[in-house]
Amino acid sequence: MEPKELAISAARILDAKGADDIQVLEVNHLTSITDYFVFANGRNVQAVHTLADDLEDKLAEQGILPRRKEGMTATRWIVLDYSHVIVHIFHPEERQYYNIERLWTDGTNEIPYAE
């Protein structure tokens, strides 16, 4: 699967599971660490964990496994690293506090994911 397709697929999976404030950013012109970031919120700690588990399971069904994952025990900010796509799933308070998407948004790089 191409990186853009993977980013959009991840956003759609999160959307179908009830994630809030989903944003897909193309960042390959800003950094060499990845091509796309996907940001999403869960409504509470349990929802953050459930969203991450569901995304990981659905992508694994397609043979796509994360290289690394962080935050699965604290479940307030989970990162799933799929190499060319890095998914951040936040508790709303953490997302508001860190506001990391402001570092990666240049006004032209948001990718629509809705069908």
Side-chain angles (χ1 to χ4, degrees), residues 13 24 26 28 30 39 43 60 69 71 87 93 101 109:
I13 291 167
V24 179
E26 183 175 11
N28 56 0
L30 300 171
F39 300 100
R43 294 186 179 138
K69 53 187 174 181
V87 179
E93 291 172 5
E101 59 266 41
N109 62 337

Side-chain angles (χ1 to χ4, degrees), residues 34-78:
T34 193
D35 294 327
Y36 294 89
F37 281 128
V38 178
F39 300 100
N41 288 358
R43 294 186 179 138
N44 53 49
V45 170
Q46 182 59 43
V48 171
H49 194 273
T50 300
L51 288 166
D53 280 345
D54 192 60
L55 177 63
E56 190 175 3
D57 290 346
K58 295 262 190 306
L59 291 178
E61 290 172 4
Q62 299 174 50
I64 303 167
L65 303 173
R67 285 189 325 176
R68 292 180 4 169
K69 53 187 174 181
E70 297 290 334
M72 294 300 279
T73 55
T75 62
R76 293 189 63 88
W77 178 1
I78 296 175

Side-chain angles (χ1 to χ4, degrees), residues 14-15 18-24 38-43 88 90 92 95-96 99 101 110 113:
L14 292 168
D15 187 42
D20 294 324
D21 199 12
I22 301 167
Q23 188 175 24
V24 179
V38 178
F39 300 100
N41 288 358
R43 294 186 179 138
H88 299 265
F90 290 94
R95 180 141 180 214
Q96 182 178 1
N99 193 20
E101 59 266 41
E110 188 163 357
Y113 67 89

